[in-house]
Amino acid sequence: MSKEDSRKILVKTMQSALQSKGLHGVGLSEILKTAGLPKGSLYYHFPGGKEELALAAIANAEQEMARFLEQVFARFDDPLDALAAWIDSALQRIAASRFKLGCPLAAAALDCSPDDTDLLLALHGAFTNLRDQLAAHISRAGFPSDAATDLAVLVLTSYEGGLMMARAAGSTDPIERAFRALLSHVRLQQKELAHGH
């Protein structure tokens, strides 16, 4: 196995651990056991230990989410149809995991203490980049820049909050309800903007 492969395995293992157990719910020995790698491999790639590995996992999760969003938005002329498709795929993923997997970014954010300044900074950056990406797509639906950014924040907070509620309920119902309400409201706004109101 190449050094690059072992680094990727460690990052993906940490990312999965964040999704299912949060930042402090998993120890380094468990990560190494799951990855099937020796301790030396971890400290070779991440001399800063668990925090450095978590930062790499956060960056990777952000990149994966950004790539996925680009692919979804490329498939639809109407960005609001793309949003609906994104939520549908999220519902399928969370149901397939039997409500064990949430968003690694949200899980890490909830598990951080105020002292985890580097991690919080990285998470804030990841959420901001995803917000800006969504806002750029939403603006194509005819929304002014500020309104598109507001809507992007609403979408992300509904998604993250919905994931937590879905996990607690063991049902996709909370996300379905949140996005049904959100998308119907947004479509009305879109019509008003199109008619110059």
Side-chain angles (χ1 to χ4, degrees):
M1 181 188 307
S2 75
K3 286 185 168 123
E4 192 51 40
D5 285 343
S6 61
R7 186 186 189 283
K8 280 181 189 165
I9 289 166
L10 283 166
V11 170
K12 288 299 288 176
T13 304
M14 183 64 180
Q15 193 174 324
S16 295
L18 287 176
Q19 274 186 292
S20 57
K21 297 183 177 180
L23 182 64
H24 298 301
V26 66
L28 284 178
S29 55
E30 188 181 341
I31 290 166
L32 288 166
K33 186 179 174 187
T34 305
L37 292 167
K39 202 173 199 175
S41 181
L42 174 81
Y43 288 105
Y44 173 81
H45 293 292
F46 303 100
K50 187 177 174 183
E51 182 173 323
E52 191 177 344
L53 177 56
L55 287 167
I58 288 164
N60 195 65
E62 179 201 339
Q63 288 160 11
E64 284 182 359
M65 200 167 169
R67 271 196 305 272
F68 179 72
L69 286 173
E70 281 306 315
Q71 289 165 0
V72 172
F73 279 96
R75 286 182 10 230
F76 295 89
D77 291 333
D78 184 343
L80 300 184
D81 289 340
L83 272 182
W86 171 46
I87 297 310
D88 280 344
S89 73
L91 291 171
Q92 288 168 25
R93 272 196 319 278
I94 188 171
S97 79
R98 295 185 179 171
F99 304 94
K100 288 182 185 147
L101 298 182
C103 169
L105 301 178
L110 286 170
D111 222 4
C112 278
S113 78
D115 297 330
D116 294 321
T117 47
D118 288 346
L119 289 165
L120 288 168
L121 199 62
L123 288 161
H124 174 65
F127 281 126
T128 301
N129 290 340
L130 291 168
R131 177 204 71 191
D132 291 347
Q133 181 185 11
L134 275 174
H137 287 299
I138 291 166
S139 65
R140 286 185 12 241
F143 288 86
S145 178
D146 269 1
T149 301
D150 289 350
L151 185 51
V153 171
L154 182 58
V155 166
L156 281 173
T157 54
S158 297
Y159 174 69
E160 300 296 4
L163 277 177
M164 283 189 284
M165 290 177 71
R167 196 172 187 184
S171 163
T172 56
D173 187 62
I175 303 182
E176 290 180 57
R177 286 180 179 278
F179 276 91
R180 195 160 55 233
L182 190 150
L183 285 169
S184 64
H185 174 70
V186 170
R187 293 237 179 250
L188 284 173
Q189 275 191 304
Q190 188 183 32
K191 281 179 187 167
E192 286 175 10
L193 284 164
H195 292 98
H197 295 147

